[in-house]
């Protein structure tokens, strides 16, 4: 059984063919259009999947946003250029003519990472630090999606009541501080206008402000991990996303977590499937594994 897996993030779209043995073939990427109008996303998805759709029997989508009855509802529309609502399953069914399912990107990645860990870890949490900050919770071997698809949206828990306003409407969310967008939004002076990737490379060159912004993100994430441990008593927290997987980032989170009381300590691990966790999680869920 070959799955056409699609990962829709705030920065990039990825698609690939995934076989039953989880082998990935013909992986492609395109930038996510920053547009309020659904037509731009539809056109980008069409271009992304056209070369692959003839080789698959179904479509599995991991997407940023709350996924409710196949529709993408942005909790933070700023991550998608202001787009609030997109008929995800309907669009891909129309484009490919194939049966289609969709799940939140971090929930999908949590499922893939749970699979990678084997049977030992029934209680685990996945956190992506990427355009936003997303999460997926596996409890007693079951993926929590929530009655309305909201379960695991850890990026919208409170980090600082005096912090920046988040695109979700709250003040001081973890996402507004720790995410790639949050890091970039706080940059000033010589770093103003730089994206998180550039800020990481400037930090590597010794830039003090860049270093501070990355530490601020990692410290915020460590406090989130402590909250997650207190809430779920999970055995392990797996971290993904391009910021989460950036060199040195997880070690910083570990450094700040070590400063929290012992009861909140939990093993941290970089995502086994790296940038493909969302694609593979969606494929696994669609294949019924
Ligand atoms: P998406 O959110 O679309 O899933 P990513 O996981 O790639 O995509 O996250 C995008 C964010 O990660 C952006 O803020 C980008 O600047 C940042 N980023 C991309 N590559 C790197 C890198 N090598 N090091 C640090 N940050 C990165
Ligand atoms: C946001 C939210 C989550 C998502 C997370 C990570 C939107 C559009 N997305 O908190 O649903 O899981 O970002 O998404 O409201 P990514 O784009 O960083 O991968
Ligand atoms: Zn928020």
């Amino acid at each position: 059984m070959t799955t056409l897996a699609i990962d829709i993030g705030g920065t990039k779209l990825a698609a690939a063919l995934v076989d039953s043995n989880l082998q990935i073939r013909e992986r492609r990427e395109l930038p996510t259009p920053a547009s309020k109008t659904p037509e731009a996303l539809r056109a980008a998805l069409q271009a992304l999947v056209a070369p692959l759709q003839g080789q698959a029997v179904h479509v599995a989508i991991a997407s940023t946003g709350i996924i409710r009855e196949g529709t993408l509802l942005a909790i933070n529309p700023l991550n998608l250029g202001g787009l609030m609502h997109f008929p995800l399953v309907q669009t891909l069914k129309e484009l490919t003519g194939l049966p289609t399912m969709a799940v939140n990107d971090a929930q999908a990645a949590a499922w893939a990472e749970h699979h990678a860990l084997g049977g030992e870890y029934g209680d685990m949490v996945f956190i992506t630090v990427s355009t936003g900050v997303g999460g997926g919770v596996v409890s007693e071997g079951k993926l929590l999606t929530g009655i309305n698809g909201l379960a695991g949206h850890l990026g919208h828990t409170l980090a600082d009541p005096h912090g920046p306003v988040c695109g979700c409407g709250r003040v001081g969310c973890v996402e507004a501080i720790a995410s790639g967008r949050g890091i970039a939004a706080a940059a000033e002076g010589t770093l103003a206008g730089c994206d998180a990737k550039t800020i990481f490379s400037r930090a590597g060159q010794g830039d003090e402000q860049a270093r501070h912004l990355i530490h601020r993100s990692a410290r915020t994430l460590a406090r989130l991990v402590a909250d997650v441990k207190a809430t779920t008593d999970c055995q392990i927290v797996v971290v993904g996303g391009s910021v989460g997987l950036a060199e040195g980032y997880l070690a910083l989170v570990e450094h700040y977590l070590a400063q929290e009381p012992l009861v909140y300590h939990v093993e941290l691990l970089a995502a086994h499937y790296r940038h493909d966790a969302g694609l593979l999680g969606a494929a696994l869920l669609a294949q019924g594994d």
Side-chain angles (χ1 to χ4, degrees), residues 22 69 126 135 154 177 215 242 251:
L22 282 194
E69 290 169 6
F126 173 84
L154 303 170
I177 298 170
H215 275 250
S242 289

Side-chain angles (χ1 to χ4, degrees), residues 7-8 61-68 73 75 88 101-111 126 128 134-136 143-145 149-153 278 281-282 285:
D7 188 351
I8 301 175
I61 310 165
S63 175
T64 192
I66 298 167
I67 308 304
R68 194 176 298 162
L73 304 165
I75 185 167
L88 205 48
M101 63 78 77
V103 61
N104 169 266
D105 55 356
Q107 292 172 352
W111 193 241
F126 173 84
T128 175
L143 176 66
L144 305 185
T145 52
L150 186 62
H153 273 81
L285 287 163

Side-chain angles (χ1 to χ4, degrees), residues 9-10 64-66 74-76 79-80 104-105 128 130-134 153 156 175:
T64 192
I66 298 167
I75 185 167
N76 184 353
N79 290 0
L80 284 170
N104 169 266
D105 55 356
T128 175
S130 34
T131 311
V133 172
H153 273 81
H156 303 282
E175 176 161 303

Side-chain angles (χ1 to χ4, degrees), residues 59 190 263 274:
V59 177
T190 51
V263 67
R274 310 292 296 176

Side-chain angles (χ1 to χ4, degrees), residues 4-7 13-15 28-30 43-52:
L4 167 51
I6 303 171
D7 188 351
L13 310 174
R28 299 160 49 80
E29 269 188 24
L30 283 178
L45 288 168
Q46 184 167 25
L48 185 74
V49 302
L52 307 180

